[in-house]
Amino acid sequence: MLPVAGGLVLASPLLCLFTALFISADRVFAGYVGDLLSQFAFRDLLQQGGLIALFSWLAVGALDLALGPKERDPLRALFGAPGAPTVVALPRLGFVEATIALVLVDLLFLAFVAIQLQYLFLGPDHLALRGDGISYAQYAREGFFQLLVAAILTLGVIWTLEWRTRREQPAQRIVFNALATVMVACAVVMLLSSFRRLFLYELEFGFTQARLFSHGVTLWLGAVFAFFVAALWTGRSRILSAGLLGSCIAFVIGLNALDPDAFIAARNIERLTVYGKSLDVAYLGRTSTDAVPTLVAALDTLPPAEQRELATILRRKQRELAGQERDWRSANLSVLLARQALDARFGPPLREERSSRPFDALFPEDVGATASRQGR
């Protein structure tokens, strides 16, 4: 029973940690956990459990003394022979302990994934949400970072157990790898849930660079999980190291190919024209020149109020770009394309428009800044 007790002790902090993350990430899961815990009176459980443990220990000890050999010294195996230096050996983790810990954590993961599949992926038309009058949109927007942390911790837990667990027989290695793969598969479902939660959040509040990069990190973690499982089953750590390097390179190249600011501008305009959401024109005005061609192309598709506001911002950006002195050493494709798109839309800026005076009437906020610069 000692390996079983060791497995339960090992699994306890992991279960508490992941349960806390899942409760903070998902109100529905928190409701089920609350219903389960409400069925128990913890004071009675502690008292009765303490009495059971005490009398079980006394009974087992008495039985061991009655039936065991008299010459046996139970402390000799742990502390060595009498008179020898006291050295406590810390053995590696046994297969039974690791298996019990993985099974319990897998059961927790499967319970959480079952709720995710029902409430998040099937949608509000299939199931009614539990508790506190929470709407489906609010439910979908919660818990992104908690699920991301849980997925990252999954890698650490499996990696540590794989490093410290004894698995002499092939059957033991197969069982361990299978349980670890189930845990990884549940973590991948959590990543998909995080990805969808963030997407629904963006549909409600708009796309930004931070949210786009979070999407990229989620996809990168999914690739890392795939390489990790391959390294686990083949026993070749080089697969994981090469996969980490390759996925990092692919992440950077993919972001450059996506052109983040142009993608963000297109998606935010799509929120307005397709889904009827509000458009944060001020945020679009703070994006880089990468987004300018996209904004100019979509200008005619916007409602009159947003169109006037965005046109004003683009004219201001055109004036700023025209006022910058550039030579071949500072050549920039993004700036060149932005200036071409702005000139094609609004016409080339006049020579006198390169100063701020003709725009004082259109942009009164620039008057104070110009006077401040002249004062300095």
Side-chain angles (χ1 to χ4, degrees):
M1 296 301 295
L2 186 60
V4 176
L8 295 176
V9 171
L10 177 64
S12 297
L14 297 177
L15 293 175
C16 292
L17 175 61
F18 284 112
T19 302
L21 285 172
F22 295 159
I23 286 176
S24 62
D26 193 288
R27 294 193 186 186
V28 177
F29 183 80
Y32 282 118
V33 173
D35 294 344
L36 179 63
L37 295 180
S38 64
Q39 305 299 321
F40 300 95
F42 283 99
R43 179 178 299 178
D44 295 339
L45 284 178
L46 291 177
Q47 293 176 353
Q48 296 173 7
L51 292 175
I52 291 173
L54 175 61
F55 286 106
S56 299
W57 178 64
L58 294 175
V60 171
L63 186 63
D64 180 71
L65 289 175
L67 300 180
K70 296 182 179 180
E71 66 275 7
R72 186 181 62 187
D73 186 359
L75 299 180
R76 181 187 297 271
L78 183 62
F79 295 102
T86 301
V87 177
V88 179
L90 296 179
R92 295 185 64 186
L93 191 63
F95 173 74
V96 175
E97 293 91 327
T99 301
I100 291 176
L102 281 176
V103 168
L104 293 178
V105 174
D106 282 349
L107 291 176
L108 175 64
F109 275 38
L110 289 172
F112 182 78
V113 165
I115 295 174
Q116 295 296 294
L117 292 175
Q118 291 180 2
Y119 282 89
L120 191 60
F121 292 102
L122 293 182
D125 297 333
H126 292 76
L127 294 171
L129 292 175
R130 296 166 48 95
D132 301 333
I134 178 177
S135 66
Y136 182 76
Q138 291 174 331
Y139 172 73
R141 293 195 301 268
E142 293 179 347
F144 169 78
F145 290 104
Q146 292 91 330
L147 296 183
L148 207 60
V149 170
I152 295 174
L153 289 177
T154 300
L155 281 178
V157 169
I158 298 177
W159 204 337
T160 303
L161 290 177
E162 195 275 338
W163 172 48
R164 296 299 303 169
T165 302
R166 293 194 306 267
R167 292 160 294 165
E168 291 85 0
Q169 301 177 5
Q172 293 179 345
R173 291 192 288 270
I174 293 175
V175 171
F176 180 90
N177 292 345
L179 293 174
T181 303
V182 172
M183 191 173 176
V184 170
C186 293
V188 170
V189 176
M190 294 179 199
L191 288 179
L192 293 175
S193 177
S194 301
F195 194 92
R196 181 168 172 80
R197 285 170 184 266
L198 186 59
F199 176 72
L200 295 175
Y201 186 87
E202 289 168 326
L203 285 181
E204 187 69 22
F205 295 101
F207 290 74
T208 63
Q209 280 191 355
R211 296 163 191 169
L212 179 63
F213 292 156
S214 299
H215 274 304
V217 170
T218 304
L219 295 176
W220 173 76
L221 276 177
V224 171
F225 275 125
F227 288 114
F228 182 82
V229 171
L232 184 67
W233 281 96
T234 59
R236 299 177 180 178
S237 59
R238 289 186 176 182
I239 294 179
L240 180 59
S241 58
L244 284 173
L245 178 60
S247 60
C248 289
I249 295 175
F251 177 79
V252 176
I253 294 177
L255 281 181
N256 279 275
L258 185 64
D259 197 356
D261 277 352
F263 179 83
I264 290 170
R267 299 288 78 76
N268 281 321
I269 292 173
E270 182 182 7
R271 287 180 60 251
L272 174 66
T273 57
V274 177
Y275 299 99
K277 304 292 184 178
S278 60
L279 180 65
D280 190 352
V281 180
Y283 177 79
L284 294 180
R286 295 192 298 269
T287 55
S288 67
T289 52
D290 292 339
V292 169
T294 302
L295 296 176
V296 171
L299 198 58
D300 293 331
T301 64
L302 302 180
E306 286 80 2
Q307 183 178 356
R308 288 193 299 268
E309 185 179 358
L310 183 58
T312 302
I313 293 175
L314 292 176
R315 289 296 300 270
R316 182 185 302 178
K317 191 177 291 288
Q318 183 188 29
R319 181 190 62 177
E320 294 173 354
L321 294 176
Q324 296 175 358
E325 297 296 335
R326 294 181 177 271
D327 57 12
W328 63 272
R329 292 170 298 180
S330 60
N332 187 293
L333 180 61
S334 175
V335 173
L336 177 62
L337 295 178
R339 294 180 66 173
Q340 290 178 352
L342 291 170
D343 293 346
R345 173 72 187 192
F346 303 109
L350 300 176
R351 184 180 301 274
E352 59 271 13
E353 287 183 345
R354 295 179 184 271
S355 66
S356 60
R357 289 182 180 274
F359 288 84
D360 290 345
L362 293 176
F363 308 101
E365 66 275 10
D366 290 348
V367 177
T370 303
S372 176
R373 289 194 297 269
Q374 292 174 352
R376 290 196 298 269

